[in-house]
Amino acid sequence: MSNDVTISLQEAEALSNKVLTHHGFSQAHAGAITRSVMAAQCDECHSHGLYRLIGCVQTALNGGVDTQAEPTITDQAASVVKVNANKGCSLLSFEMGKPYLIEKAKRSGVAALAINNSFHFSALWPEVEALSAEGLVALAVTPSHAFVAPAGGTSPLLGTNPIAFSWPRPGSTPYTFDFATSVVARGEIELHRRAGKSIPEGWAMDSEGNSTTDPVAALAGAMLPFGSYKGSALSTMVELLSGPLIGDLLGHETQAANAEKNGKPFHGELIVAMSPEVFLGKDADTHLRHAEVLFEGILAQGARLPSQRRFAARERSRINGITFPNALYEELKVLASN
């Protein structure tokens, strides 16, 4: 008997909306969250897909997100727009700030969207891909709570601190990457814990600073940055760009929501958009085609481009629906009604 279930995209979307609205999220927030987790689930990014609804609900129950918050938009400067999430989820703030960001980037060449005071849990690639779909080059960074020890350290100080980038490609899917500056996303360790599986060596340390393959010990200890000092430096850059630069907190100054309801899970995100058309004028198409030489060279060596597997999964999901653990499906059905 299979431990997985396959459902249609429409059923999954309806289930997500029902879970969220049942637990107090406004329709606007539920819609934005659903669009994000469905994008991840369709691309078989299970760590940021429907599984994340459990965390959203728990955060709401623990008072760690304002489920009815209405973001406040500030037209800060010619190339800067700021959105205060007002302790709501970051996704609605991004969707509301995106039109301003696109307009400013296409007018000025480079523009930035700063999201402040937000609860953030989601993958970044749907955001940068939404911008590359508009013909823009996009970069996004955000901190997380302190889960990662700096290279050479033994206790959590840095976040998993992802970086995402998307480059529009003529007549093709964009060149996109989205990765944590930790060895692996924290959600991957959580999925190993849920499945009762060990994690590989080199992902994390226990609370005593010793290497561990136990996901429970890893979650209580510290994750490791990828590439040692290089990953640690990139993680620090993310903290600075999406913290002090935009007037928000560093990752270690935030804490996850908890049952005592004294957590502080709110922090910032920075998204930068660049317009090839403004940089290059009438030569933009020529240089975008020139970029294809690099991608073709990578593929010619038998290597793959980042996100190729995601795009293939997206097509499978479009045709066949989404497949995910039956235990998670049953858990979500309970959340939708209890």
Side-chain angles (χ1 to χ4, degrees):
M1 182 176 175
S2 173
N3 292 323
D4 291 333
V5 63
T6 300
I7 63 176
S8 70
L9 301 185
Q10 293 78 12
E11 182 182 351
E13 184 176 335
L15 177 60
S16 175
N17 270 298
K18 190 173 181 182
V19 166
L20 293 164
T21 54
H22 186 69
H23 288 276
F25 286 88
S26 69
Q27 190 55 61
H29 276 294
I33 294 169
T34 292
R35 283 185 284 277
S36 178
V37 298
M38 282 297 297
Q41 194 67 56
C42 287
D43 285 13
E44 297 178 5
C45 296
H46 297 285
S47 64
H48 287 80
L50 294 172
Y51 152 74
R52 290 284 174 153
L53 295 175
I54 298 170
C56 285
V57 168
Q58 193 59 54
T59 300
L61 292 174
N62 288 338
V65 61
D66 184 342
T67 58
Q68 299 287 319
E70 295 186 8
T72 305
I73 300 172
T74 301
D75 192 343
Q76 183 77 5
S79 293
V80 179
V81 58
K82 300 186 77 172
V83 183
N84 188 330
N86 293 317
K87 298 186 177 181
C89 182
S90 65
L91 292 166
L92 181 59
S93 292
F94 171 75
E95 290 189 357
M96 292 177 62
K98 181 177 69 172
Y100 295 84
L101 177 63
I102 292 170
E103 186 277 327
K104 289 175 181 290
K106 290 188 174 182
R107 174 166 39 83
S108 302
V110 181
L113 166 61
I115 299 174
N116 292 105
N117 200 22
S118 69
F119 167 65
H120 192 286
F121 73 89
S122 52
L124 290 177
W125 60 257
E127 297 179 5
V128 292
E129 283 189 5
L131 296 170
S132 62
E134 298 286 337
L136 299 170
V137 177
L139 176 73
V141 293
T142 188
S144 76
H145 309 312
F147 296 133
V148 181
T154 58
S155 61
L157 177 66
L158 303 171
T160 54
N161 296 2
I163 301 171
F165 174 84
S166 192
W167 176 277
R169 298 180 62 196
S172 182
T173 51
Y175 174 86
T176 306
F177 66 76
D178 178 1
F179 56 76
T181 49
S182 50
V183 172
V184 68
R186 188 170 176 84
E188 291 293 338
I189 298 179
E190 291 173 342
L191 288 177
H192 277 71
R193 179 190 62 77
R194 287 173 63 87
K197 296 179 180 178
S198 297
I199 61 172
E201 281 279 356
W203 278 17
M205 298 180 287
D206 63 20
S207 58
E208 303 299 317
N210 302 309
S211 180
T212 184
T213 60
D214 179 355
V216 176
L219 292 170
M223 300 169 65
L224 296 174
F226 83 88
S228 187
Y229 289 96
K230 294 179 181 179
S232 191
L234 286 173
S235 183
T236 303
M237 179 193 74
V238 170
E239 296 267 356
L240 297 172
L241 291 176
S242 50
L245 179 65
I246 65 170
D248 221 305
L249 299 177
L250 297 165
H252 74 274
E253 295 170 330
T254 71
Q255 296 86 38
N258 54 45
E260 291 73 32
K261 299 188 177 183
N262 58 8
K264 297 189 297 181
F266 311 109
H267 54 80
E269 178 183 354
L270 178 69
I271 305 103
V272 179
M274 294 157 274
S275 169
E277 282 71 21
V278 176
F279 273 90
L280 298 163
K282 61 182 178 60
D283 295 325
D285 288 344
T286 298
H287 289 287
L288 285 172
R289 287 195 298 271
H290 181 210
E292 293 298 303
V293 173
L294 181 59
F295 304 133
E296 291 162 4
I298 293 170
L299 295 171
Q301 294 191 25
R304 69 175 180 86
L305 299 177
S307 298
Q308 272 187 266
R309 288 185 292 197
R310 278 201 304 107
F311 296 137
R314 187 178 301 178
E315 184 62 15
R316 285 195 300 273
S317 297
R318 186 186 68 81
I319 296 170
N320 303 320
I322 60 169
T323 299
F324 63 109
N326 188 63
L328 175 58
Y329 182 45
E330 294 300 323
E331 193 170 350
L332 292 176
K333 287 196 292 184
V334 170
L335 282 178
S337 57
N338 289 353

